[in-house]
Amino acid sequence: MHLFRRPKDPEAALDKEIGRLSGLLKGRDAGLRRGAALALAEIGGPRAVAALCESLTLFRQSRQQQGLGPEAANALGYIGDMAAFECLLECVGDHTWGPVEEAKQALLRLPRAELIPHLLEALEGPDPKPGTTAAEMLGHLRDPSTLDALTAALGDRAHLEDIARFRGNKPIEILIGALGHPKRDVRLDATSRLIGGSGDFDRAERNAPRITAETVDRLAYALEVGDRDTRWLAADLLAIRSPQSEAVVSALAGSLGFGDGDLVRKVLAALVAIGGPGAAAALKQFAADPPVPAGWNRDADWQQVRREWQALALHALEKVSRDEGPPLGPRPPDSVRD
């Protein structure tokens, strides 16, 4: 006598069970929905993945009124089937209604050997939305083999943020190269990330501890090749770097010949903020003979600008010379900055 009978058609029985569980995913009982997600995670396979993806998509599209969200994403991560790639990627990109963090973790649990080619394909595709999401996930994975593709796709701040997640010298080189990017937001973001920041600086003083000796060279490069905004930010950051060094003073002094009057004022103020013999020497040299910027002629207009710059430099030198040491505060004096 057999107490249990094996089904004559196991596949048909499994289909029936998955259909029943799929129906529970769409029901109103939250407990039954979660139980169904767990059961489908245990069953696995393409049909379970399809049911969970359908429920996850419904959850997003119905504004969380139907289907299953975080539980479905977690179940898909537990199964680890690449068939869930598309719906999970869409969920990560849906920052308004999707269970984003759960979907990210589920994506990261997919087989890496298959996941990376899929992400690169999305990154290089014609649709920018999945491309941006793929860049974010590649930043989380930090696989060195994907850096070139991320650099080639660099077109917005999201990609730059993802590149900054990588470790080593190559990302630094990419960030330095982004200082010449045609988009202003990218240039500013690259400057801030070069010193370990996470975006534009509202208060540069907060980032002073991150300005290391290695950073000084990068900021000096930003002073040389950056646009106006980038140069201003680099000058501010160099002014607050502590402790100061000859390299900082040299970088600031070298930027005085770029021909930007506002930048000259900014740099003079930075040298006042730094103080000390090095800053005094740089101010004295500039006051004695301001260099003619590239493209300028020694005409009457230049002579007038030269006299103005000399007067500003002498005023700054007077402030530095009468101080016994560097100023207490990190901000340049208004009288020099204005």
Side-chain angles (χ1 to χ4, degrees), residues 23-34:
L24 293 177
L25 289 178
K26 302 173 185 177
R28 295 184 178 182
D29 191 310
L32 290 177
R33 290 200 303 267
R34 287 192 291 269

Side-chain angles (χ1 to χ4, degrees), residues 5 28 32 42 74 88-89 95 100 105-106 112 145 156 166 182 193 201 210 212 225 228 230 246 265 276 295 328 337:
R5 292 185 178 180
R28 295 184 178 182
L32 290 177
E42 292 293 338
N74 289 332
L88 287 173
L89 192 71
H95 291 279
V100 176
Q105 294 305 313
R112 179 169 291 211
S145 67
D156 56 38
F166 286 75
R193 293 186 188 282
F201 290 106
R210 295 173 176 162
T212 65
V225 305
R228 184 179 184 182
T230 302
E246 292 182 6
R265 292 177 175 83
L328 295 177
R337 192 182 330 121

Side-chain angles (χ1 to χ4, degrees), residues 212-235:
T212 65
E214 295 178 358
T215 304
V216 170
D217 290 339
R218 301 170 197 163
L219 291 174
Y221 184 82
L223 275 172
E224 181 180 349
V225 305
D227 64 355
R228 184 179 184 182
D229 293 321
T230 302
R231 286 173 170 173
W232 277 41
L233 180 56

Side-chain angles (χ1 to χ4, degrees), residues 33-51:
R33 290 200 303 267
R34 287 192 291 269
L38 290 173
L40 287 169
E42 292 293 338
I43 292 173
R47 288 168 292 185
V49 169

Side-chain angles (χ1 to χ4, degrees), residues 26-27 56 60 71 83 127 129 141 168 175 188 281 296 337:
K26 302 173 185 177
L56 179 58
R60 292 192 301 106
E71 296 87 351
D127 192 342
K129 186 173 182 179
L141 289 170
L175 290 172
L188 287 175
W296 286 39
R337 192 182 330 121

Side-chain angles (χ1 to χ4, degrees), residues 152-188:
L154 179 62
D156 56 38
R157 298 182 60 191
H159 292 159
L160 194 63
E161 176 182 358
D162 303 321
I163 290 171
R165 295 177 188 271
F166 286 75
R167 298 187 180 93
N169 293 327
K170 183 67 178 292
I172 297 299
E173 295 173 4
I174 295 171
L175 290 172
I176 289 176
L179 294 173
H181 196 277
K183 288 190 176 181
R184 176 178 177 273
D185 282 348
V186 175
R187 295 193 297 270
L188 287 175

Side-chain angles (χ1 to χ4, degrees), residues 85 104-105 107-120 133-146 150 162 165-167:
F85 174 79
K104 283 181 183 178
Q105 294 305 313
L107 270 173
L108 293 174
R109 294 185 69 173
L110 298 182
R112 179 169 291 211
E114 298 177 65
L115 176 60
I116 288 178
H118 277 70
L119 289 172
L120 289 174
T133 309
E136 179 182 356
M137 296 309 302
L138 288 169
H140 282 290
L141 289 170
R142 290 190 285 196
D143 188 305
S145 67
T146 65
L150 277 169
D162 303 321
R165 295 177 188 271
F166 286 75
R167 298 187 180 93

